[in-house]
Amino acid sequence: MSAVQMGIESSTRDLPKGWRWTRLDTEGVATVIMGQSPAGDTYVDVPAGLPFFQGKADFGNLYPTPRKWCTAPSKIAEAGDILISVRAPVRPTNIAKETCCIGRGLAAIRPDRSIDGMYMLYFLRFIEPELAGLGAGSTFEAITRDQVSRLQVPLPPLHEQRAIARQLERDMAKVARLRAAVESQREAVEA
């Protein structure tokens, strides 16, 4: 069964005892906030107002880096919200480290009381390729609020979510160290 079937289209796959499938927009799980571009004359190149993130180009490994700011934001994400690129390209994710303005290329997923934010981030990263497959559009690919809201999420008890996220963080740190070591060896060989 593909990740699309597990996380987007179907909630019939068996889960461990105590887990359940739930829609992302279910009360107590998460709130979806679609971005909206503010008026063009409110964008600035220096820190004034809120950091303004428009899409994947602003994303880092985990957190976005401000390149623009907005003095009159129309849609706001809060620190800890998961930012997801919803158009050209669909799928990349980051975490807002501070209150920020989000343009129409992003949505913010605000975890609620029954879901751990890092667990949600890792789940979304797991289904990224399938999210990209949902993108449609004549000019460029995009996904809608309804498509994001309908995502089916496997929801273990909160303590298990946190344990899963901690283990994934440890595993990702190991991967980063191994990549750095390989890159260092590659540079040594080239020298």
Side-chain angles (χ1 to χ4, degrees), residues 5-188:
Q5 292 166 320
M6 287 178 10
I8 298 172
E9 295 174 356
S10 173
S11 59
T12 59
R13 183 160 184 206
D14 290 335
L15 294 173
K17 186 175 181 169
W19 292 40
R20 64 184 169 93
W21 285 104
T22 188
R23 274 178 52 141
L24 180 65
D25 66 350
T26 300
E27 183 178 338
V29 177
T31 302
V32 177
I33 300 121
M34 297 302 284
Q36 180 180 347
S37 294
D41 63 350
T42 66
Y43 301 10
V44 293
D45 294 326
V46 295
L50 294 179
F52 176 41
F53 303 118
Q54 301 179 66
K56 180 188 184 292
D58 299 319
F59 283 6
N61 184 44
L62 193 57
Y63 302 105
T65 301
R67 298 180 303 143
K68 298 261 184 212
W69 287 261
C70 180
T71 58
S74 48
K75 291 292 182 160
I76 295 175
E78 299 292 339
D81 286 357
I82 298 161
L83 305 177
I84 182 168
S85 179
V86 294
R87 58 191 303 197
V90 171
R91 79 181 171 276
T93 54
N94 258 195
I95 299 174
K97 31 179 194 186
E98 60 194 327
T99 301
C100 56
C101 176
I102 55 172
R104 63 184 176 183
L106 296 177
I109 299 172
R110 184 165 299 147
D112 206 341
R113 65 187 176 275
S114 66
I115 197 155
D116 180 80
M118 290 304 293
Y119 172 81
M120 174 58 68
L121 175 76
Y122 287 125
F123 175 72
L124 290 170
R125 287 185 169 183
F126 173 70
I127 65 168
E128 275 183 7
E130 287 76 17
L131 286 171
L134 292 176
S138 59
T139 307
F140 48 79
E141 64 181 39
I143 57 174
T144 66
R145 174 187 172 76
D146 190 50
Q147 288 173 304
V148 175
S149 296
R150 284 193 334 246
L151 291 174
Q152 292 289 321
V153 180
L155 197 64
L158 198 53
H159 71 278
E160 287 185 50
Q161 293 174 43
R162 290 180 178 138
I164 290 167
R166 279 192 309 270
Q167 183 61 51
L168 288 169
E169 286 170 2
R170 287 190 294 269
D171 292 347
M172 296 306 290
K174 285 180 192 175
V175 168
R177 286 191 303 273
L178 290 170
R179 281 189 178 145
V182 167
E183 181 61 23
S184 177
Q185 287 180 353
R186 185 188 64 76
E187 289 172 359

